[in-house]
C-alpha cells in the first residue's frame, strides 16, 4: 500500500511540476482572493487583522476545490482512470497517494498565503507550534475529504459544479477548528486554541479511514 501510495503521489507531483498549474494559476488565484478580501473590507486593517485567520482558511478551502478538481481532471482524458483501475495498484494506496499530492500542493499554497496574510493584514505570530500543527491536521483533513468526494463526482458530467456542493458543507468543521486555532496562535483570541486540535485530528482520521477502506468501491463506480 505504501509503495503504491508513493508511486501515485510521485506521478501526481510530476504532472503538476511539468504543467506548473500550482505556480501559474493556483498561487496567483490565492493571492488575488486575499487582495479581494482587502478591498471588500475597504482596507480597514483592524477588521482585516481580526478576520485574517478566517480569511486565510476560506482562501485555502477555495484552493482545495481547484486542486482536487485538477487532480481528477488529469485522469479524465484518454481513459487514464480505466488504466488506473487495471493497474493492479492497491486502491488504498491510490487514495493515500492522491491525498498526499493534494496536501503537498496545499502546504505550498499555505506558506504563500501565510506570507500574504502577514504582509497585507499585519498579523503577528504568538504560538508557532499551534499554528503549524493545526495547519498540518487541517491540510490532511481537507486533502482526504477532497479526494474522497472528488472520486465520487469524477465520473459525472456535472463534477465541476457538484464537487463544491459535496465538499463545502462537509469541511465546515475544519474551517471552524482551523480558524479558531489560528486566532489563538496569532493572538487574536483568548480561547485555548489547542482544544480545537481534537476536532481537526478527528476529522482527518475519519476521512483517512473512509478513504483507505472505501476507495476501492469509489474507484470502481467512478
Amino acid at each position: 500500500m505504501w509503495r503504491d501510495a508513493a508511486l501515485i503521489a510521485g506521478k501526481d507531483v510530476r504532472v503538476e511540476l511539468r504543467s506548473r498549474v500550482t505556480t501559474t494559476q493556483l498561487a496567483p488565484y490565492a493571492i488575488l482572493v486575499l487582495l479581494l478580501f482587502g478591498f471588500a473590507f475597504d482596507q480597514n486593517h483592524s477588521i482585516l487583522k481580526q478576520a485574517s485567520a478566517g480569511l486565510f482558511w476560506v482562501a485555502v478551502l477555495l484552493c482545495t476545490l481547484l486542486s482536487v478538481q485538477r487532480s481528477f481532471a488529469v485522469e479524465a482524458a484518454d481513459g487514464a482512470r480505466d488504466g488506473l483501475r487495471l493497474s493492479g495498484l492497491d486502491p488504498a494506496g491510490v487514495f493515500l497517494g492522491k491525498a498526499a499530492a493534494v496536501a503537498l500542493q496545499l502546504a505550498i499554497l499555505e506558506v504563500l498565503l501565510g506570507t500574504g496574510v502577514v504582509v497585507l493584514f499585519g498579523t503577528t505570530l504568538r504560538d508557532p507550534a499551534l499554528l503549524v500543527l493545526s495547519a498540518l491536521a487541517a491540510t490532511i483533513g481537507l486533502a482526504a475529504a477532497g479526494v474522497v468526494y472528488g472520486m465520487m463526482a469524477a465520473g459525472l458530467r456535472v463534477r465541476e459544479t457538484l464537487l463544491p456542493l459535496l465538499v463545502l458543507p462537509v469541511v465546515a468543521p475544519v474551517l471552524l477548528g482551523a480558524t479558531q486555532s489560528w486566532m489563538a496562535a496569532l493572538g487574536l483570541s483568548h480561547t485555548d486554541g489547542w482544544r480545537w486540535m481534537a476536532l481537526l485530528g478527528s476529522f482527518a482520521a475519519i476521512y483517512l479511514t473512509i478513504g483507505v477502506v472505501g476507495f476501492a468501491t469509489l474507484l470502481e463506480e467512478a
Side-chain angles (χ1 to χ4, degrees), residues 68-76 81 98 146-147 150-151 154 215:
V68 171
Q69 285 179 338
R70 166 68 181 170
S71 177
F72 287 98
V74 170
E75 293 172 349
R81 193 172 297 119
K98 296 192 76 65
V147 171
M151 182 54 75
F215 202 73

Side-chain angles (χ1 to χ4, degrees), residues 1-191:
M1 182 183 71
W2 297 111
R3 179 184 60 82
D4 293 346
L7 185 66
I8 293 296
K11 183 266 295 181
D12 283 3
V13 170
R14 284 194 299 273
V15 168
E16 294 306 319
L17 288 175
R18 292 169 181 172
S19 65
R20 300 181 181 178
V21 169
T22 301
T23 56
T24 61
Q25 296 182 27
L26 285 183
Y29 171 80
I31 295 298
L32 183 60
V33 168
L34 290 183
L35 290 174
L36 290 176
F37 282 144
F39 289 129
F41 288 102
D42 198 23
Q43 297 183 355
N44 187 321
H45 286 285
S46 61
I47 295 179
L48 287 172
K49 184 176 181 179
Q50 187 65 31
S52 58
L55 299 180
F56 173 90
W57 284 106
V58 169
V60 170
L61 181 54
L62 295 176
C63 290
T64 301
L65 294 175
L66 295 179
S67 181
V68 171
Q69 285 179 338
R70 166 68 181 170
S71 177
F72 287 98
V74 170
E75 293 172 349
D78 300 325
R81 193 172 297 119
D82 292 330
L84 192 62
R85 295 190 190 98
L86 298 173
S87 64
L89 296 175
D90 188 340
V94 174
F95 163 75
L96 292 174
K98 296 192 76 65
V102 171
L104 179 60
Q105 295 177 56
L106 292 181
I108 295 172
L109 290 171
E110 285 168 15
V111 172
L112 180 63
L113 284 170
T115 304
V117 166
V118 172
V119 173
L120 297 175
F121 302 159
T123 56
T124 56
L125 182 58
R126 299 291 178 84
D127 191 341
L130 174 59
L131 186 139
V132 172
L133 290 177
S134 60
L136 179 62
T139 301
I140 294 173
L142 288 175
V147 171
V148 167
Y149 289 103
M151 182 54 75
M152 285 184 182
L156 303 176
R157 293 181 179 179
V158 293
R159 57 181 176 271
E160 290 82 4
T161 53
L162 181 61
L163 182 61
L165 294 177
L166 292 174
V167 173
L168 291 178
V170 171
V171 298
V174 177
L175 183 62
L176 173 62
T179 298
Q180 294 297 324
S181 295
W182 271 49
M183 288 183 66
L186 297 174
L188 303 174
S189 172
H190 298 294
T191 60

